[in-house]
């Protein structure tokens, strides 16, 4: 076959389409690498914030990003405060988390504070009574995303999603801070069934796998194009 004939048979349209697809796949792979670096930065930032000692609530909430910071806060009457229950699983065990209102003295905003986990097998609950007694507690600040569209509705006062608005209404709190406080010290130390804790940071970082997938598809596209090109020019 002459050079002119080969040039005439060269699949220019296929080549252009392959180049565009290759550029798209490589671009998606690079984007996922950038996302991975960004997510690693968030994880490092969260770990650094969680490692700092507790600070006064006013100074922490004045930060641009108070998430994962530990706070020292006085929640008057917390030991006997009303609560709502949030259905959850903790370390593979079903149960509920007790959510109460915290109105720090001298602070303009009320918070919802997660007092901790109680296993499903425990039917007892802490007492509820009006009190203004000072109650210092150490807690961790967490951002609270809205519940998803598939969240189950409240059933007999038990929540199945961290619905800040619904919980605040049930507890009589108007316009609470959008962050949740997770108690790290117990509101009822005499009651061992209550396990105060902050849940693990929910950072999903699968971007490396996604990047490898896009780059793998790009390599497969190159191999497929070479095979088609050889068949086209030798047929």
């Amino acid at each position: 076959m002459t050079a002119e004939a080969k040039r005439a048979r060269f699949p220019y349209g296929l080549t252009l389409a392959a180049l565009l697809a290759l550029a798209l796949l490589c671009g998606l792979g690079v984007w996922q690498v950038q996302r991975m670096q960004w997510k690693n930065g968030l994880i490092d930032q969260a770990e650094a914030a969680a490692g700092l000692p507790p600070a006064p609530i006013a100074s922490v909430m004045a930060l641009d990003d108070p998430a994962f910071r530990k706070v020292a806060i006085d929640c008057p009457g917390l030991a006997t405060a009303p609560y709502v229950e949030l259905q959850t699983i903790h370390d593979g065990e079903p149960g509920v988390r007790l959510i109460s209102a915290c109105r720090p003295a001298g602070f303009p905003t009320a918070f919802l504070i997660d007092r901790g986990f109680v296993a499903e097998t425990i039917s007892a609950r802490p007492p509820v009574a009006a009190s203004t007694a000072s109650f210092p507690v150490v807690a961790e600040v967490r951002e609270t995303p809205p519940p998803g569209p598939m969240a189950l509705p409240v059933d007999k006062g038990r929540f199945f999603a961290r619905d800040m608005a619904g919980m605040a209404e049930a507890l009589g709190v108007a316009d609470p801070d959008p962050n949740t406080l997770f108690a790290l010290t117990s509101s009822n130390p005499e009651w061992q069934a209550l396990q105060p804790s902050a849940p693990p940071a929910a950072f999903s970082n699968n971007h490396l796998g996604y990047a490898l997938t896009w780059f793998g598809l790009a390599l497969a596209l190159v191999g497929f194009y070479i095979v088609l090109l050889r068949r086209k020019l030798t047929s």
Side-chain angles (χ1 to χ4, degrees):
M1 182 181 297
T2 64
E4 289 79 8
K6 288 184 177 181
R7 283 196 296 271
R9 297 176 62 86
F10 188 82
Y12 292 103
L14 175 63
T15 300
L16 178 60
L19 287 174
L20 291 174
L22 181 63
L24 176 61
L25 292 172
C26 289
L28 289 171
V30 170
W31 176 63
Q32 288 296 335
V33 170
Q34 294 171 340
R35 292 275 297 172
M36 178 183 67
Q37 294 171 341
W38 168 75
K39 188 64 67 67
N40 286 336
L42 286 182
I43 294 172
D44 292 342
Q45 181 180 348
E47 291 177 348
L52 294 173
I57 183 69
S59 63
V60 170
M61 298 313 296
L63 299 173
D64 291 335
D65 184 10
F68 298 97
R69 286 294 306 270
K70 293 183 178 66
V71 296
I73 186 171
D74 185 0
C75 294
L78 182 61
T80 58
Y83 56 83
V84 296
E85 298 185 359
L86 171 63
Q87 186 74 39
T88 188
I89 295 177
H90 179 71
D91 290 338
E93 185 176 15
V96 297
R97 300 188 75 94
L98 305 184
I99 317 297
S100 293
C102 175
R103 298 176 175 86
F107 197 79
T109 308
F111 293 87
L112 296 188
I113 183 166
D114 187 315
R115 295 164 63 179
F117 174 81
V118 180
E120 194 73 42
T121 54
I122 305 296
S123 59
R125 293 292 185 268
V128 175
S131 173
T132 57
S134 174
F135 198 97
V137 64
V138 175
E140 186 170 300
V141 181
R142 292 290 185 90
E143 293 181 0
T144 310
M150 302 301 292
L152 295 175
V154 181
D155 181 27
K156 298 178 181 179
R158 179 171 291 192
F159 287 79
F160 296 89
R162 201 172 285 275
D163 179 2
M164 291 285 285
M167 291 178 177
E169 182 179 0
L171 293 169
V173 179
D175 195 24
D177 190 276
N179 296 286
T180 296
L181 301 181
F182 284 85
L184 302 180
T185 56
S186 181
S187 62
N188 302 83
E190 74 288 348
W191 189 47
Q192 297 299 312
L194 180 63
Q195 306 172 44
S197 64
F203 287 116
S204 176
N205 192 3
N206 301 318
H207 299 292
L208 178 59
Y210 298 150
L212 293 176
T213 298
W214 291 121
F215 288 134
L217 289 173
L219 288 174
L221 174 63
V222 171
F224 185 65
Y225 171 76
I226 290 174
V227 170
L228 287 181
L229 183 61
R230 286 180 175 175
R231 288 182 179 178
K232 182 71 173 177
L233 295 180
T234 59
S235 60

